[in-house]
Amino acid sequence: MADGRGAPDAASRQQASWEPNAAAWTAAVRAGAIASRRRGTDAAIIAACAAAPGLRVLDVGCGEGWLSRALAEAGASVLGVDASRPLIDAAAAAGGARFAVASYATLVADPSVAAGPFDLVVCNFALLDEDLVPLLASLARRLAPAGRLVIQTVHPGVAAGEAGYVEGWREETFAGFGEGFAAPMPWYFRRLSGWFAAIGAAGLAVSSLEEPQAADGSVLSLLLTCRGAGDASG
């Protein structure tokens, strides 16, 4: 539902929610408790990343590290970063890739953090804030020439909910994800035009748009591959 409180409050509650929810989120991901992931979003992001030996990858908002591990298993050199210390601790304990605590504000302010360059930067359901331009611009600067930024997010045409197709803060209660979630998570709903506007303002261009579907044909997510605005490669 829409969040009636102001954006600063929503943003701070979003960041704070990952401390009490870290253990429950880790358990849900590792138990395969999230239906949309089983139905195809996990497979879609792995396919879009097209990991190969030697690929240099930055996994932004990596959570407990499942995607970092999957890409590393394909031979990529992967660094996963997340603002939540408990989630990074869980990721590091599982191993399989390199992990570090880094907030989005830190990535924006300090180019030496996760400096790259990276052939691939991936944000898998990890771009939840209202103002994405500073972060996206900082990630663009970390890309190698011809590098890609791959974003998977909720599909605006499916996730609008009762609040309608209007940009604004909503709340995720994690219903159906399993037990132990202690706090709802505010997140910012963005229309398709809003995604393109933020990406363009960050000096990037969408080179590919995909709409992963489940076996029954239902749309699961929006998947955008972005490159530097001056990069004409496909």
Side-chain angles (χ1 to χ4, degrees):
M1 61 174 56
D3 182 6
R5 284 167 278 193
D9 178 61
S12 62
R13 288 190 298 117
Q14 177 203 107
Q15 294 168 14
S17 71
W18 288 108
E19 300 304 309
N21 288 338
W25 178 258
T26 299
V29 170
R30 296 181 181 179
I34 303 172
S36 60
R37 300 171 66 106
R38 298 194 306 270
R39 296 175 70 204
T41 62
D42 282 3
I45 192 66
I46 290 173
C49 289
L55 192 75
R56 299 165 296 179
V57 180
L58 176 63
D59 182 4
V60 178
C62 68
E64 58 72 57
W66 81 270
L67 181 56
S68 295
R69 291 190 293 275
L71 300 180
E73 287 174 3
S77 173
V78 185
L79 171 62
V81 297
D82 200 286
S84 170
R85 169 69 68 179
L87 285 174
I88 288 296
D89 286 346
R98 295 179 296 132
F99 297 100
V101 175
S103 69
Y104 292 176
T106 298
L107 292 175
V108 171
D110 190 350
S112 69
V113 175
F118 295 95
D119 305 304
L120 169 69
V121 176
V122 57
C123 304
N124 187 45
F125 295 107
L127 298 179
L128 306 170
D129 293 332
E130 181 174 3
D131 184 8
L132 295 180
V133 175
L135 175 63
L136 291 175
S138 76
L139 298 179
R141 290 189 291 269
R142 289 171 166 85
L143 288 175
R148 298 173 292 141
L149 169 64
V150 175
I151 299 167
Q152 183 168 221
T153 186
V154 296
H155 195 292
V158 175
E162 294 180 359
Y165 201 67
V166 178
E167 296 199 351
W169 286 95
R170 316 288 172 89
E171 283 203 350
E172 172 61 71
T173 63
F174 302 102
F177 285 16
E179 301 296 326
F181 288 93
M185 181 197 70
W187 63 281
Y188 193 81
F189 172 80
R190 195 176 310 276
R191 301 190 305 175
L192 184 60
S193 60
W195 279 106
F196 273 74
I199 289 165
L204 294 158
V206 175
S207 61
S208 173
L209 185 157
E210 300 175 61
E211 298 169 287
Q213 294 177 279
D216 63 3
S218 58
V219 176
L220 295 170
S221 65
L222 175 67
L223 216 164
L224 304 171
T225 298
C226 311
R227 298 180 185 272
D231 183 0
S233 60

